[in-house]
Amino acid sequence: MKAFTYERAKDPVEAARIVASRPGARFLAGGTNLLDLMKIEVETPTHLVDVQHLALDEIEGTPDGGLRIGALVSNTDLAADERVRRDYGVLTRSIVAGASGQLRNKASTAGNLLQRTRCPYFYDTNMPCNKRTPGSGCAAIGGASRQLGVIGVSDKCIATFPGDMAVALRVLDATVETVDGQGQRRSIAIADFHRLWGDHPEQDTVLAPGELITSVTLPPPLGGKHFYEKVRDRASYAFALVSVAAVIRPDGAGRVAFGGVAPRPWRVEAAEALLPQGAAAVTARAFQGATPTKDNAFKLPLATRALASILSDAKA
């Protein structure tokens, strides 16, 4: 691990100002992903700004009947919150499907959205990776790609976003709230938060340098039945080959998003109109233009089968 300096910020604006003004500075919250990457020198921050003690750990109702979730609310507390379990079941199910209990106790809401990809070439500093070192190339293209993306990828990067919680937040139309070093606040729709790789796979999100997530806001509850189906190589502690978050109403209409397939949670609203026609119709539209490799082409029928399982359960 490279040497670094450390300090605690007094408030969110100060934290954002410090990180924006110091090249190589990073926020430190739960640290469950960042510290792992520092140990293998994929991440080499020069300065860590600790935000763990800032008062961003509350879940509160909003005037329109939604919920505002502080950026530092732990995954465990969020999944267990009575209002989340009752009104946003897809969110609880997605969180419980990810990581171990110990990690969920430490991982934060904002940090979950900022997870780096688990592409093995990103973690191997002996291999070229445009996400780790822009312009160095992509060893995953032509390499082992079983876990990697089938849609929304580019000729610079075929990695996927690894998280579960964000897939549920995409179905729920959450909004990410931020503040910068000048105190300017911004609301970013979760649909726009994670970037497609394009020519700049090193940029995971639309956050500006030093911009700090302060909360995630959920709109009023959708109703309907909530589902999160995660298909993985092991029964636990594994990232999704394919995941599906869905909210299905009694008439068969609803919302659906896929994880493990793209640089961001993959939701195509036009495909949702086909839910009454069945899973095959939905995935044919949602994955139109997909570019799978020979190693991960199985993800397309797997997504169809996972959604078909949900739709069958929704009728029960």
Side-chain angles (χ1 to χ4, degrees):
M1 184 182 290
K2 298 286 189 182
F4 58 88
T5 52
Y6 166 94
E7 70 177 297
R8 284 190 166 198
K10 297 184 179 67
D11 58 58
V13 174
E14 183 188 68
R17 184 170 59 248
I18 295 170
V19 171
S21 64
R22 294 189 61 158
R26 297 282 191 278
F27 298 115
L28 174 65
T32 57
N33 190 199
L34 176 62
L35 295 183
D36 281 347
L37 293 171
M38 290 173 65
K39 290 174 186 174
I40 57 175
E41 298 186 357
V42 170
E43 288 276 6
T44 55
T46 57
H47 188 65
L48 291 183
V49 179
D50 192 339
V51 299
Q52 295 179 83
H53 60 291
L54 302 182
L56 300 172
D57 57 354
E58 298 290 331
I59 303 173
E60 58 186 0
T62 61
D64 66 352
L67 279 183
R68 180 172 294 107
I69 304 160
L72 297 173
V73 172
S74 74
N75 287 185
T76 295
D77 288 345
L78 181 57
D81 185 271
E82 181 181 353
R83 294 160 293 183
V84 175
R85 294 176 64 188
R86 182 187 64 228
D87 297 329
Y88 305 96
V90 64
L91 182 54
T92 287
R93 291 180 173 88
S94 68
I95 294 171
V96 173
S100 64
Q102 292 91 338
L103 284 171
R104 292 196 295 269
N105 288 341
K106 191 65 178 172
S108 66
T109 295
N112 204 304
L113 294 177
L114 298 175
Q115 292 182 77
R116 307 303 307 274
T117 183
R118 262 62 179 186
C119 174
Y121 299 102
F122 174 72
Y123 279 73
D124 186 347
T125 56
N126 294 308
M127 304 297 286
C129 173
N130 287 321
K131 177 172 284 300
R132 176 171 21 84
T133 308
S136 62
C138 176
I141 297 175
S145 54
R146 172 178 165 75
Q147 290 278 352
L148 304 181
V150 297
I151 195 164
V153 296
S154 77
D155 61 359
K156 302 292 190 299
C157 181
I158 59 172
T160 58
F161 174 76
D164 295 293
M165 190 179 83
V167 185
L169 292 176
R170 181 68 180 88
V171 163
L172 296 171
D173 276 341
T175 301
V176 181
E177 313 287 348
T178 71
V179 68
D180 67 16
Q182 287 71 51
Q184 299 295 314
R185 297 185 179 277
R186 184 160 71 127
S187 298
I188 307 168
I190 190 72
D192 301 324
F193 184 75
H194 294 100
R195 290 168 44 89
L196 297 182
W197 299 148
D199 291 333
H200 293 283
E202 76 279 8
Q203 299 173 9
D204 290 348
T205 72
V206 298
L207 291 177
E211 192 172 8
L212 177 70
I213 297 174
T214 54
S215 64
V216 173
T217 302
L218 301 179
L222 289 171
K225 291 185 177 180
H226 289 220
F227 300 90
Y228 191 76
E229 184 84 15
K230 182 176 181 179
V231 185
R232 46 192 162 179
D233 283 328
R234 297 195 307 270
S236 63
Y237 311 154
F239 296 95
L241 293 168
V242 169
S243 66
V244 186
V247 178
I248 307 298
R249 296 197 299 266
D251 63 0
R255 299 179 183 180
V256 60
F258 299 89
V261 295
R264 63 188 184 194
W266 194 254
R267 180 182 173 196
V268 178
E269 281 83 344
E272 294 169 351
L274 304 175
L275 275 167
Q277 297 180 33
V282 174
T283 54
R285 178 64 183 86
F287 291 96
Q288 194 172 60
T291 55
T293 69
K294 62 179 177 56
D295 290 342
N296 64 22
F298 71 93
K299 288 191 175 189
L300 298 177
L302 187 59
T304 301
R305 291 167 189 162
L307 178 58
S309 174
I310 286 174
L311 297 182
S312 176
D313 290 344
K315 293 177 181 176

